[in-house]
Amino acid sequence: MRYGLAFAAASAALFPVAYAAWGYTSSGGSYVVDTGSSNSFTFKVSQSSCDITSLYFIGVEYQYSSQASHISSGLGSATVSAQTIGDYIKITCVTSTLTQYLVAHKGESTIFMATYTTAEPSVGELRFLARLNSAQLTTSAFPQSYSGQGTAGAVEGSDVYKDSSGQTYSKFYSSVRFIDDQVHWVSTSDGGVHVSMVMPGNAYESSSGGPFFRDINSDKTSSNGAHNLYFYMNSGHAQTESYRQGLHGPYALVFSRSGIPDKNLDLSFFADLGISGYVANSGRGTVKGTASGVSSSYQTVVHWYNSVAQYWTYASSGGSFTSPLMKSGTYTMVLYKNELAVATQSVSVSAGGTTTSNIASSNDPAKTAPTWIIGE
C-alpha cells in the first residue's frame, strides 16, 4: 500500500485529475467523491478497505503519501458501498463489529463521519486518524507534540522524545479535556488552509472517560512525514471506565480557507441518512436545574453517565445549567468543583421531556474540619 499511495500522490502532482462536479464515481478500486464546493474538494475511499487515500483541496494533495487515513489502524477489509441521498453522498464501510460512515454534503469541503460499534475493534484503538502531509500542513495548536523534533532519542518508551537541548516532545502533549475539546486543527505555515477535526454536540456520548478525560489530538512525525490529526473515542492509554458501544459521533474533518471552523456544526441531517444507532433530537430529553455549594472561584461542572452514554456541561456563575440533549434513561448525575466530585445523585430522562434536578455540594473536603494537618 505504501508504494501505491506514494505513486498516486506523485501522479496527482504531475497530472492533475480533472474531477467532475458534485457526485461520485468508481475508479481504480476507489470511490472518488467531488463535493461540488467553491473551494474544490475531492477525496478517494478504497472500495476494499475504507481507507481514505486522497484529500485533494483547492489543487493540493493533503493526504500523507505513505499511509492512509482511516478508523483505528485501518479496517484491513470491509464491505464498502456508496449512495446519493438528496444533497448527500454516504459511503458505508461494514465489518462484523464496526460500521464507518463517510458523508459528503453538496457544496462543503468536509467529510462528515460517524462510527457504529458493537465491540471494540480488533485492528487498534477506537479512533479516527487523519494522516496528513506535513510538508504542506506544517503547524498545529500543539507544537510540543512534534515528536519528529526529538532527534536525540526517546526518553520514555517510544512516545516521548528529546532534542539536543533536552526539550521533550510527545503526541500526548496535545491532549485537551473532552469538555473543552470540540475542535483541534493543523494548518499551513501562513494559516491559509486549516484542516480541523470537529466534535460538536454529542460527539463524545458513546466514548468513555468522562468530561476530564483527554487523549492524543495531533502528532507530527517529521518535516516530510505525517502530521496526524486524531479523534479518540475509546482509548486504551488510561482507561477509567468500561468502554461504551453504539454510535460514536457524528464528527467531521473540515477543510477551510477561512480559519478554524465553528465548533457548533449542525449535524442533525444524520437523522435522514439511515445511520445505525443515531438518535434524533426528537428522541432525546434534557435536565435543567441549579448547582449550589460550589464557590464561584471554581469551575462548576455537571456530568451525567450510565453504561450507554455520557454528557456534561458547565454551570453558569449563578449555578444554573441545562444539559445537552440526552438519550432517554436513568443516569448518575455528578457535581464537580473543578475536577473534584462533591455530590452524586440519580436522575431520569425521557424523550421530548425536561427534567428538573437541582444538585448541591455535599462532600467537599474543604468544608470538613481536618483531624490533623501535616506540619502542625
Side-chain angles (χ1 to χ4, degrees), residues 25-32 45-51 78-81:
T25 59
S26 177
S27 176
S30 295
Y31 288 117
V32 182
V45 180
S46 167
Q47 293 171 337
S48 61
S49 67
C50 199
D51 281 354
T79 301
V80 183
S81 60

Side-chain angles (χ1 to χ4, degrees), residues 61-135:
E61 180 60 72
Y62 286 100
Q63 172 62 45
Y64 179 48
S65 62
S66 296
Q67 293 175 290
S69 298
H70 40 220
I71 194 72
S72 296
S73 296
L75 296 177
S77 62
T79 301
V80 183
S81 60
Q83 64 182 126
T84 300
I85 305 172
D87 285 342
Y88 299 90
I89 295 169
K90 181 179 76 170
I91 296 177
T92 305
C93 308
V94 180
T95 71
S96 60
T97 60
L98 185 151
T99 301
Q100 179 71 6
Y101 297 99
L102 308 172
V103 176
H105 181 214
K106 186 176 183 180
E108 296 193 53
S109 303
T110 298
I111 305 176
F112 302 97
M113 293 177 276
T115 306
Y116 179 76
T117 62
T118 57
E120 284 301 290
S122 60
V123 289
E125 295 174 297
L126 188 58
R127 65 185 183 184
F128 184 83
L129 169 55
R131 301 183 192 271
L132 304 170
N133 181 357
S134 67

